Amino acid sequence: MAAGELTELETAIEKIVTVFFTYAGKEGKKGTLTAAEFKELVQLQLPNLMKDVPSLEEKMSELDVNNDEELRFGEYWRLIGELAKAVRREKAGKKK
């Protein structure tokens, strides 16, 4: 990582990665999220943005593109992208 103070965006990216690795590897493979780890991450870190998701099991299955019942970082990143798009749509809607 580059020396110096991180920008606001760099800090946000670092936090997204740190949160993933905080929850990944508690059980199952290190560096992946099991269903239980995913559920814990969502409940503790994304309670507002994910409150309207009817089934965390279905959401995990949708994200798990290789069907190994764990989420790798790239699969988790798809969720972050989806949430970022939803936040952008909400903010764009409020400007009208």
Side-chain angles (χ1 to χ4, degrees), residues 19-46 56-57 60 69-72 76 79:
V19 166
F20 175 82
F21 284 109
T22 298
Y23 291 88
K26 289 183 178 182
E27 58 185 44
K29 291 183 233 162
K30 186 175 182 171
T32 65
L33 293 169
T34 63
E37 291 165 341
F38 175 69
K39 185 175 182 179
E40 182 182 13
L41 184 153
V42 168
Q43 289 174 336
L44 297 176
Q45 298 293 326
L46 299 167
L56 290 181
E57 291 79 14
M60 180 164 171
E69 298 184 1
E70 295 188 333
L71 297 182
R72 294 171 291 123
Y76 160 78
L79 173 65

Side-chain angles (χ1 to χ4, degrees), residues 42-43 46-56 83 90:
V42 168
Q43 289 174 336
L46 299 167
N48 300 303
L49 294 178
M50 296 281 291
K51 68 179 180 273
D52 295 330
V53 173
S55 166
L56 290 181
L83 295 173
E90 186 176 301

